[in-house]
Amino acid sequence: MKIEERKISGVTILDVSGKITIGEGSAEIRNKVRQLLEQGDKDILLNLGEVSYVDSSGIGELVSCYTTVTNQGGQLKLLNLTRKMRELLAITKLLTVFDDYKEEGAALASFKS
């Protein structure tokens, strides 16, 4: 798994690619989100458009990151869910928890409201 970080209008965008699975993949996201929170970056957009596979551990880690960010007064939103990822989040009813967007501009604008 690979994570690239960029910042636009005060929102940190994490472009994630590869697999989010038990062990290294999910730990990387957790560590990155915690690092951002420690730096005071509380508005985080996870771009998951290049994620090829997510297992149950990866889903759990996304929920854990969402909870951690929210509890610290921040926002974590999802961008570019793949069809499989969207189906997985729908089955688990997590689509009702996460704000997700198909376009980066709309996602960035949502942080201002």
Side-chain angles (χ1 to χ4, degrees):
M1 187 180 82
K2 185 176 175 185
I3 301 174
E4 292 187 16
E5 179 183 337
R6 55 195 168 100
K7 200 166 194 171
I8 298 177
S9 301
V11 177
T12 303
I13 302 169
L14 299 179
D15 296 309
V16 183
S17 59
K19 298 177 180 180
I20 304 174
T21 58
I22 191 165
E24 189 174 323
S26 59
E28 276 186 59
I29 287 184
R30 178 185 334 123
N31 292 337
K32 189 66 180 175
V33 167
R34 286 184 181 163
Q35 177 189 359
L36 290 172
L37 290 172
E38 288 172 5
Q39 295 171 354
D41 296 327
K42 295 183 176 184
D43 290 335
I44 301 169
L45 181 62
L46 282 180
N47 181 0
L48 302 175
E50 298 297 321
V51 171
S52 58
Y53 180 76
V54 179
D55 68 4
S56 60
S57 176
I59 293 293
E61 196 58 51
L62 291 177
V63 173
S64 175
C65 288
Y66 175 85
T67 303
T68 301
V69 170
T70 302
N71 286 343
Q72 294 199 22
Q75 300 178 77
L76 184 138
K77 300 181 180 188
L78 306 180
L79 175 66
N80 290 327
L81 292 176
T82 62
R83 186 176 61 86
K84 284 185 177 181
M85 184 109 178
R86 180 174 297 283
E87 289 173 357
L88 188 59
L89 291 177
I91 290 169
T92 56
K93 308 243 186 262
L94 290 171
L95 270 181
T96 60
V97 174
F98 291 104
D99 285 344
D100 73 291
Y101 297 88
K102 293 180 181 174
E103 295 181 14
E104 187 173 298
L108 291 172
S110 74
F111 282 93
K112 295 176 183 171
S113 57

